[in-house]
PDB file of all heavy atoms in Angstrom:
ATOM      1  N   LEU A  36      24.578 107.783 -10.205  1.00 97.00           N
ATOM      2  CA  LEU A  36      24.867 106.545 -10.935  1.00 97.00           C
ATOM      3  C   LEU A  36      25.924 105.708 -10.214  1.00 97.00           C
ATOM      4  O   LEU A  36      25.808 104.484 -10.141  1.00 97.00           O
ATOM      5  CB  LEU A  36      25.298 106.874 -12.364  1.00 97.00           C
ATOM      6  CG  LEU A  36      24.185 107.499 -13.212  1.00 97.00           C
ATOM      7  CD1 LEU A  36      24.743 108.176 -14.444  1.00 97.00           C
ATOM      8  CD2 LEU A  36      23.139 106.454 -13.570  1.00 97.00           C
ATOM      9  N   ALA A  37      26.937 106.351  -9.637  1.00 97.00           N
ATOM     10  CA  ALA A  37      27.978 105.614  -8.911  1.00 97.00           C
ATOM     11  C   ALA A  37      27.395 104.885  -7.699  1.00 97.00           C
ATOM     12  O   ALA A  37      27.843 103.782  -7.358  1.00 97.00           O
ATOM     13  CB  ALA A  37      29.090 106.566  -8.476  1.00 97.00           C
ATOM     14  N   SER A  38      26.383 105.456  -7.085  1.00 97.00           N
ATOM     15  CA  SER A  38      25.750 104.803  -5.926  1.00 97.00           C
ATOM     16  C   SER A  38      24.989 103.559  -6.362  1.00 97.00           C
ATOM     17  O   SER A  38      24.967 102.559  -5.639  1.00 97.00           O
ATOM     18  CB  SER A  38      24.804 105.772  -5.220  1.00 97.00           C
ATOM     19  OG  SER A  38      25.524 106.851  -4.669  1.00 97.00           O
ATOM     20  N   ILE A  39      24.372 103.605  -7.526  1.00 98.00           N
ATOM     21  CA  ILE A  39      23.664 102.428  -8.052  1.00 98.00           C
ATOM     22  C   ILE A  39      24.662 101.305  -8.280  1.00 98.00           C
ATOM     23  O   ILE A  39      24.430 100.155  -7.885  1.00 98.00           O
ATOM     24  CB  ILE A  39      22.886 102.782  -9.333  1.00 98.00           C
ATOM     25  CG1 ILE A  39      21.781 103.791  -9.013  1.00 98.00           C
ATOM     26  CG2 ILE A  39      22.318 101.515  -9.988  1.00 98.00           C
ATOM     27  CD1 ILE A  39      21.098 104.396 -10.227  1.00 98.00           C
ATOM     28  N   THR A  40      25.800 101.637  -8.892  1.00 98.00           N
ATOM     29  CA  THR A  40      26.848 100.635  -9.124  1.00 98.00           C
ATOM     30  C   THR A  40      27.325 100.039  -7.802  1.00 98.00           C
ATOM     31  O   THR A  40      27.489  98.820  -7.681  1.00 98.00           O
ATOM     32  CB  THR A  40      28.040 101.268  -9.873  1.00 98.00           C
ATOM     33  OG1 THR A  40      27.575 101.776 -11.133  1.00 98.00           O
ATOM     34  CG2 THR A  40      29.155 100.258 -10.110  1.00 98.00           C
ATOM     35  N   GLU A  41      27.510 100.881  -6.810  1.00 97.00           N
ATOM     36  CA  GLU A  41      27.980 100.416  -5.504  1.00 97.00           C
ATOM     37  C   GLU A  41      26.976  99.463  -4.863  1.00 97.00           C
ATOM     38  O   GLU A  41      27.350  98.393  -4.356  1.00 97.00           O
ATOM     39  CB  GLU A  41      28.229 101.617  -4.584  1.00 97.00           C
ATOM     40  CG  GLU A  41      28.823 101.230  -3.254  1.00 97.00           C
ATOM     41  CD  GLU A  41      29.108 102.447  -2.389  1.00 97.00           C
ATOM     42  OE1 GLU A  41      29.465 103.505  -2.939  1.00 97.00           O
ATOM     43  OE2 GLU A  41      28.960 102.322  -1.160  1.00 97.00           O
ATOM     44  N   VAL A  42      25.706  99.806  -4.882  1.00 97.00           N
ATOM     45  CA  VAL A  42      24.679  98.955  -4.263  1.00 97.00           C
ATOM     46  C   VAL A  42      24.549  97.629  -5.000  1.00 97.00           C
ATOM     47  O   VAL A  42      24.477  96.567  -4.377  1.00 97.00           O
ATOM     48  CB  VAL A  42      23.308  99.677  -4.218  1.00 97.00           C
ATOM     49  CG1 VAL A  42      22.199  98.715  -3.816  1.00 97.00           C
ATOM     50  CG2 VAL A  42      23.358 100.861  -3.271  1.00 97.00           C
ATOM     51  N   LEU A  43      24.532  97.670  -6.333  1.00 97.00           N
ATOM     52  CA  LEU A  43      24.319  96.442  -7.107  1.00 97.00           C
ATOM     53  C   LEU A  43      25.572  95.583  -7.201  1.00 97.00           C
ATOM     54  O   LEU A  43      25.478  94.374  -7.431  1.00 97.00           O
ATOM     55  CB  LEU A  43      23.791  96.779  -8.502  1.00 97.00           C
ATOM     56  CG  LEU A  43      22.401  97.414  -8.524  1.00 97.00           C
ATOM     57  CD1 LEU A  43      21.969  97.711  -9.951  1.00 97.00           C
ATOM     58  CD2 LEU A  43      21.371  96.540  -7.823  1.00 97.00           C
ATOM     59  N   GLY A  44      26.743  96.181  -7.066  1.00 96.00           N
ATOM     60  CA  GLY A  44      27.976  95.404  -7.040  1.00 96.00           C
ATOM     61  C   GLY A  44      28.490  94.960  -8.390  1.00 96.00           C
ATOM     62  O   GLY A  44      29.369  94.099  -8.449  1.00 96.00           O
ATOM     63  N   ILE A  45      27.968  95.515  -9.480  1.00 96.00           N
ATOM     64  CA  ILE A  45      28.488  95.200 -10.810  1.00 96.00           C
ATOM     65  C   ILE A  45      28.539  96.489 -11.631  1.00 96.00           C
ATOM     66  O   ILE A  45      27.828  97.452 -11.338  1.00 96.00           O
ATOM     67  CB  ILE A  45      27.664  94.123 -11.551  1.00 96.00           C
ATOM     68  CG1 ILE A  45      26.206  94.556 -11.747  1.00 96.00           C
ATOM     69  CG2 ILE A  45      27.719  92.795 -10.834  1.00 96.00           C
ATOM     70  CD1 ILE A  45      25.396  93.573 -12.584  1.00 96.00           C
ATOM     71  N   GLN A  46      29.386  96.473 -12.644  1.00 97.00           N
ATOM     72  CA  GLN A  46      29.549  97.639 -13.506  1.00 97.00           C
ATOM     73  C   GLN A  46      28.478  97.641 -14.601  1.00 97.00           C
ATOM     74  O   GLN A  46      28.172  96.597 -15.188  1.00 97.00           O
ATOM     75  CB  GLN A  46      30.928  97.633 -14.176  1.00 97.00           C
ATOM     76  CG  GLN A  46      32.065  97.868 -13.203  1.00 97.00           C
ATOM     77  CD  GLN A  46      32.009  99.257 -12.588  1.00 97.00           C
ATOM     78  OE1 GLN A  46      31.780 100.252 -13.273  1.00 97.00           O
ATOM     79  NE2 GLN A  46      32.208  99.323 -11.280  1.00 97.00           N
ATOM     80  N   PRO A  47      27.915  98.797 -14.906  1.00 97.00           N
ATOM     81  CA  PRO A  47      26.940  98.881 -15.993  1.00 97.00           C
ATOM     82  C   PRO A  47      27.655  98.843 -17.346  1.00 97.00           C
ATOM     83  O   PRO A  47      28.856  99.117 -17.425  1.00 97.00           O
ATOM     84  CB  PRO A  47      26.303 100.262 -15.781  1.00 97.00           C
ATOM     85  CG  PRO A  47      27.403 101.078 -15.162  1.00 97.00           C
ATOM     86  CD  PRO A  47      28.151 100.100 -14.276  1.00 97.00           C
ATOM     87  N   THR A  48      26.927  98.526 -18.394  1.00 97.00           N
ATOM     88  CA  THR A  48      27.473  98.642 -19.750  1.00 97.00           C
ATOM     89  C   THR A  48      27.192 100.031 -20.302  1.00 97.00           C
ATOM     90  O   THR A  48      27.789 100.431 -21.292  1.00 97.00           O
ATOM     91  CB  THR A  48      26.870  97.593 -20.707  1.00 97.00           C
ATOM     92  OG1 THR A  48      25.449  97.767 -20.757  1.00 97.00           O
ATOM     93  CG2 THR A  48      27.218  96.180 -20.249  1.00 97.00           C
ATOM     94  N   GLY A  49      26.280 100.763 -19.645  1.00 96.00           N
ATOM     95  CA  GLY A  49      25.981 102.111 -20.085  1.00 96.00           C
ATOM     96  C   GLY A  49      25.296 102.918 -19.002  1.00 96.00           C
ATOM     97  O   GLY A  49      24.637 102.357 -18.133  1.00 96.00           O
ATOM     98  N   VAL A  50      25.497 104.221 -19.053  1.00 97.00           N
ATOM     99  CA  VAL A  50      24.810 105.145 -18.156  1.00 97.00           C
ATOM    100  C   VAL A  50      24.448 106.397 -18.947  1.00 97.00           C
ATOM    101  O   VAL A  50      25.135 106.758 -19.903  1.00 97.00           O
ATOM    102  CB  VAL A  50      25.676 105.552 -16.934  1.00 97.00           C
ATOM    103  CG1 VAL A  50      25.966 104.358 -16.049  1.00 97.00           C
ATOM    104  CG2 VAL A  50      26.957 106.236 -17.348  1.00 97.00           C
ATOM    105  N   ILE A  51      23.360 107.041 -18.540  1.00 97.00           N
ATOM    106  CA  ILE A  51      22.981 108.340 -19.091  1.00 97.00           C
ATOM    107  C   ILE A  51      22.631 109.225 -17.900  1.00 97.00           C
ATOM    108  O   ILE A  51      21.600 109.021 -17.250  1.00 97.00           O
ATOM    109  CB  ILE A  51      21.777 108.257 -20.041  1.00 97.00           C
ATOM    110  CG1 ILE A  51      21.997 107.236 -21.151  1.00 97.00           C
ATOM    111  CG2 ILE A  51      21.478 109.646 -20.646  1.00 97.00           C
ATOM    112  CD1 ILE A  51      20.754 106.971 -22.007  1.00 97.00           C
ATOM    113  N   PRO A  52      23.487 110.192 -17.599  1.00 97.00           N
ATOM    114  CA  PRO A  52      23.192 111.085 -16.478  1.00 97.00           C
ATOM    115  C   PRO A  52      22.003 112.001 -16.775  1.00 97.00           C
ATOM    116  O   PRO A  52      21.797 112.409 -17.924  1.00 97.00           O
ATOM    117  CB  PRO A  52      24.479 111.908 -16.326  1.00 97.00           C
ATOM    118  CG  PRO A  52      25.526 111.159 -17.068  1.00 97.00           C
ATOM    119  CD  PRO A  52      24.816 110.417 -18.151  1.00 97.00           C
TER     120      PRO A  52
END
Side-chain angles (χ1 to χ4, degrees):
L36 294 163
S38 295
I39 295 170
T40 300
E41 185 178 326
V42 170
L43 295 180
I45 60 175
Q46 291 295 316
T48 59
V50 295
I51 306 172

